[in-house]
Amino acid sequence: MRFLAMPLAWSLALFDLFVVAWMALSSLKTTREVVQDPWGLPATLQWGNYQEAWTSAAFGDGVLNSLLLVIGSGLGTIVLAAPAAYVLSRFRWKLAGPVTVFFALGLGIPAPAIMIPIYLGLDRVGLIDSLGGLLIVYVATNLPFAVFFLTAFFSSLPRELEEAAAIDGSGPYRTYWRIMLPLTRSGLLALFILQAIGDWGETFFALSFLQEKKTISLTLLNFIQTMQYTGARWSVLFAGICIVVIPLLLLYLWMSSRLIEGIAAGYGK
């Protein structure tokens, strides 16, 4: 299996790198070069494509809204999931197992199945076309995976730490904040990055619950639809796609070692 898996993994990685490189090069061409010579190098680097895509598609508002949602949903998910995972993994009570399974079952619920009840609930409280309403949806849909993910980290910590803290007079609340939570920082960081990657390009809920306000994925979608009527400027379109993709690539390259370390530690434990 390893003999077959390693070449397949490297082939997929090389293909992904090729796609990213081709997309980046296409964003620096003219539209004529993209159509006539899609595999060739650009004669002159057209950096103006990015400026045109940014201004014509109004990416500024979409990027700002997506940043607010990504940071808010990541922090909100961690604030709610970490205490729940700590209680489920460290305290011995009869419902700990069923509640953990309940959170795990949330991973298998498809988004279309819960879209209508969520929409009705947000509409009754006036949170349709609101970043706050979409933030609540992101946090709620991220919680099942977050609790399931962090439970593994807390379960791996030795109980002697809590016993020593109790002997020193530390209560459960202080033990959690001062001792146990800092020990799971690699898991918290990995979870934040995973949530950021998922929420940055999320389109289904944003398209369902936002009307006037736009995230970066909706901005790109509107830009593609506009080009159908104004003429396909493929080089500018590739520049718009790069604006959406490049921040995630930079985040992953910057934090890749921490992300891999956190995932490996969580699943290994």
Side-chain angles (χ1 to χ4, degrees):
M1 291 297 297
R2 183 177 181 181
F3 177 78
L4 296 176
M6 289 300 292
L8 179 60
W10 278 106
S11 299
L12 291 175
L14 292 175
F15 176 76
D16 290 340
L17 290 175
F18 170 77
V19 171
V20 173
W22 177 77
M23 180 179 64
L25 287 175
S26 298
S27 68
L28 298 174
K29 296 180 178 180
T30 63
T31 299
R32 182 183 296 275
E33 289 176 330
V34 172
V35 176
Q36 294 182 351
D37 189 15
W39 309 111
L41 297 176
T44 304
L45 298 181
Q46 304 293 326
W47 295 106
N49 290 337
Y50 285 87
Q51 182 179 1
E52 184 178 354
W54 183 272
T55 55
S56 60
F59 270 105
D61 293 338
V63 169
L64 178 60
N65 292 337
S66 292
L67 281 176
L68 293 175
L69 289 171
V70 165
I71 296 174
S73 64
L75 295 178
T77 301
I78 290 175
V79 168
L80 295 178
Y86 177 69
V87 171
L88 292 175
S89 60
R90 309 301 294 184
F91 290 82
R92 298 175 181 176
W93 53 300
K94 295 181 180 180
L95 296 179
V99 173
T100 304
V101 174
F102 175 77
F103 275 105
L105 290 176
L107 297 173
I109 300 177
I114 59 176
M115 191 273 290
I116 294 179
I118 292 178
Y119 185 92
L120 294 176
L122 293 179
D123 184 52
R124 290 182 179 180
V125 295
L127 290 179
I128 296 296
D129 195 26
S130 167
L131 294 181
L134 188 59
L135 177 63
I136 294 174
V137 174
Y138 283 171
V139 172
T141 54
N142 290 338
L143 273 179
F145 172 77
V147 173
F148 183 76
F149 184 78
L150 292 179
T151 299
F153 284 87
F154 284 113
S155 298
S156 67
L157 300 178
R159 294 191 176 273
E160 288 78 6
L161 295 174
E162 293 167 301
E163 295 173 357
I167 293 175
D168 291 338
S170 178
Y173 182 81
R174 185 178 180 184
T175 300
Y176 165 74
W177 281 107
R178 299 294 298 274
I179 299 175
M180 308 303 286
L181 188 63
L183 292 175
T184 62
R185 58 183 178 274
S186 61
L188 297 177
L189 182 59
L191 177 62
F192 183 86
I193 296 174
L194 291 174
Q195 302 305 323
I197 292 174
D199 293 341
W200 179 261
E202 198 281 325
T203 305
F204 180 78
F205 287 125
L207 186 62
S208 301
F209 302 137
L210 295 183
Q211 299 171 357
E212 298 296 331
K213 294 182 174 61
K214 304 296 180 184
T215 61
I216 190 170
S217 59
L218 295 185
T219 302
L220 179 61
L221 181 61
N222 290 341
F223 184 44
I224 296 174
Q225 294 174 346
T226 302
M227 288 182 59
Q228 295 178 354
Y229 300 98
T230 61
R233 294 170 293 168
W234 295 109
S235 57
V236 180
L237 176 59
F238 280 118
I241 296 175
C242 287
I243 292 175
V244 177
V245 174
I246 286 176
L248 292 182
L249 292 178
L250 295 178
L251 175 64
Y252 180 80
L253 292 175
W254 180 39
M255 306 297 296
S256 59
S257 59
R258 296 291 185 88
L259 177 61
I260 295 173
E261 175 187 353
I263 295 176
Y267 284 104
K269 295 170 182 177

